[in-house]
Amino acid sequence: MNKYVEETAGAKRQYLNLLKVDKLIRSGSYPSSKELSQQTELSQRQVMRILKSLKEEYNAPIHYDRERKG
């Protein structure tokens, strides 16, 4: 594969992972990063990067709810 195809495939994979995390958050179940990791089959570090991206780049109103633990 050439470099462009590899970069495009990587960007698509990152976007799809972001959509998976977003969908789970929007479900209203208050998932923790550990639960998001398990449900998306991503590492917790990857999930944390996605959450950071959603907050900083997309201004998503994501916050931790201590009572719901997620």
Side-chain angles (χ1 to χ4, degrees):
M1 254 193 265
N2 68 35
K3 188 175 181 177
Y4 174 77
V5 173
E6 290 174 8
E7 288 175 2
T8 304
K12 183 178 179 181
R13 188 172 42 255
Q14 287 177 340
Y15 179 69
L16 293 174
N17 289 338
L18 185 140
L19 289 178
K20 287 179 197 176
V21 170
D22 179 64
K23 183 178 179 180
L24 290 167
I25 292 170
R26 289 177 187 262
S27 73
S29 63
Y30 291 84
S32 66
S33 61
K34 184 177 181 179
E35 292 168 339
L36 288 170
S37 174
Q38 292 168 343
Q39 293 177 19
T40 59
E41 297 181 357
L42 299 170
S43 71
Q44 260 189 291
R45 178 172 273 191
Q46 287 173 300
V47 168
M48 295 305 289
R49 284 188 194 127
I50 290 170
L51 292 174
K52 182 178 180 182
S53 175
L54 285 169
K55 285 189 233 181
E56 293 178 359
E57 295 177 34
Y58 300 97
N59 297 317
I62 297 172
H63 65 278
Y64 181 77
D65 187 319
R66 204 179 335 193
E67 290 177 12
R68 294 181 173 133
K69 298 180 181 164

